[in-house]
């Protein structure tokens, strides 16, 4: 189970739900792919918004930055959410085009920001909406156990917000 499974309940979210789910599954395997998929899921969701919301007029260029930068779109999302989205966009571009190494914390932040954005989309456009609650534990442990770390120790590390201390340690 992932933090994005709730999106599958709405057929209209099919264009971005599977990519969001796969981005979370990639976190322990390939952080760069995780971030790139966060960006892809967000882009698919933004394009979907333009296809269903009459208040949004597509700009001449339909790249993600242009879509996010229209006055109508910026009026739809608040400044804080727009910054979260811009972070996903920039980090995804960095991973895809600059070959940047992405840390676990950066990838986790992208996933959390994606969750917040997609929860906003669900809140505004889903037929049935239930407020989402992201679980850091579920985000990090869903279906995976880090082979070199005992689960109890990993949970303690997460609870105390010391995920950075995780790298290179064994159980």
């Amino acid at each position: 189970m992932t933090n994005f499974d709730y999106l599958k309940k709405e057929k209209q979210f099919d264009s971005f739900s599977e990519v969001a789910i796969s981005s979370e599954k990639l976190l322990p395997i390939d952080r760069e792919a995780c971030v790139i998929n966060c960006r892809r899921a967000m882009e698919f969701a933004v394009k979907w918004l333009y296809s269903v919301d009459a208040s949004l007029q597509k700009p001449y260029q339909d790249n993600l930055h242009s879509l996010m930068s229209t006055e109508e779109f910026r009026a739809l999302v608040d400044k804080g959410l727009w910054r979260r989205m811009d972070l996903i966009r920039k980090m995804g571009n960095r991973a895809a085009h600059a070959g940047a190494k992405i840390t676990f914390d950066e990838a986790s932040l992208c996933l959390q920001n994606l969750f917040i954005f997609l929860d906003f989309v669900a809140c505004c456009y889903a037929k049935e909406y239930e407020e989402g609650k992201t679980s850091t534990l579920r985000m990090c442990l869903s279906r995976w156990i880090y082979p070199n770390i005992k689960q109890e120790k990993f949970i303690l590390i997460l609870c105390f917000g010391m995920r950075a201390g995780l790298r290179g340690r064994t159980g």
Side-chain angles (χ1 to χ4, degrees), residues 3 11 20 47 53 59 76 100 105-106 110 112 133 153 168:
N3 287 288
K11 187 97 175 110
K47 287 183 176 184
D53 192 321
L76 181 67
D105 288 339
E106 288 171 328
C110 278
Q112 290 168 0
K133 292 179 177 68
K153 187 175 183 180

Side-chain angles (χ1 to χ4, degrees), residues 73-136:
F73 189 82
R74 290 186 75 122
L76 181 67
V77 300
D78 69 22
K79 195 178 239 181
L81 181 56
W82 193 90
R83 284 187 192 135
R84 290 174 184 276
M85 294 173 67
D86 201 41
L87 180 124
I88 295 169
R89 182 187 66 80
K90 286 178 179 176
M91 205 169 297
N93 287 348
R94 216 176 88 216
H97 304 299
K101 291 292 180 197
I102 303 297
T103 68
F104 182 85
D105 288 339
E106 288 171 328
S108 295
L109 181 60
C110 278
L111 280 169
Q112 290 168 0
N113 287 343
L114 179 64
F115 180 86
I116 291 166
F117 169 62
L118 293 180
D119 188 57
F120 164 80
V121 171
C123 177
C124 295
Y125 298 93
K127 291 178 178 95
E128 294 181 35
Y129 172 72
E130 184 178 325
E131 184 176 0
K133 292 179 177 68
T134 182
S135 164
T136 303

Side-chain angles (χ1 to χ4, degrees), residues 26 53 60 64 105 109-110 125 137 150 156:
L26 284 165
D53 192 321
Y60 177 70
L64 182 57
D105 288 339
L109 181 60
C110 278
Y125 298 93
L137 275 179
K150 289 183 181 165
L156 280 173

Side-chain angles (χ1 to χ4, degrees), residues 28-53:
I29 302 163
D30 185 341
R31 294 183 301 265
E32 289 76 18
C34 168
V35 169
I36 291 167
N37 275 322
C38 284
R39 188 198 181 286
R40 284 182 62 227
M42 183 179 74
E43 183 168 4
F44 293 158
V46 168
K47 287 183 176 184
W48 178 84
L49 285 173
Y50 273 88
S51 74
V52 298
D53 192 321

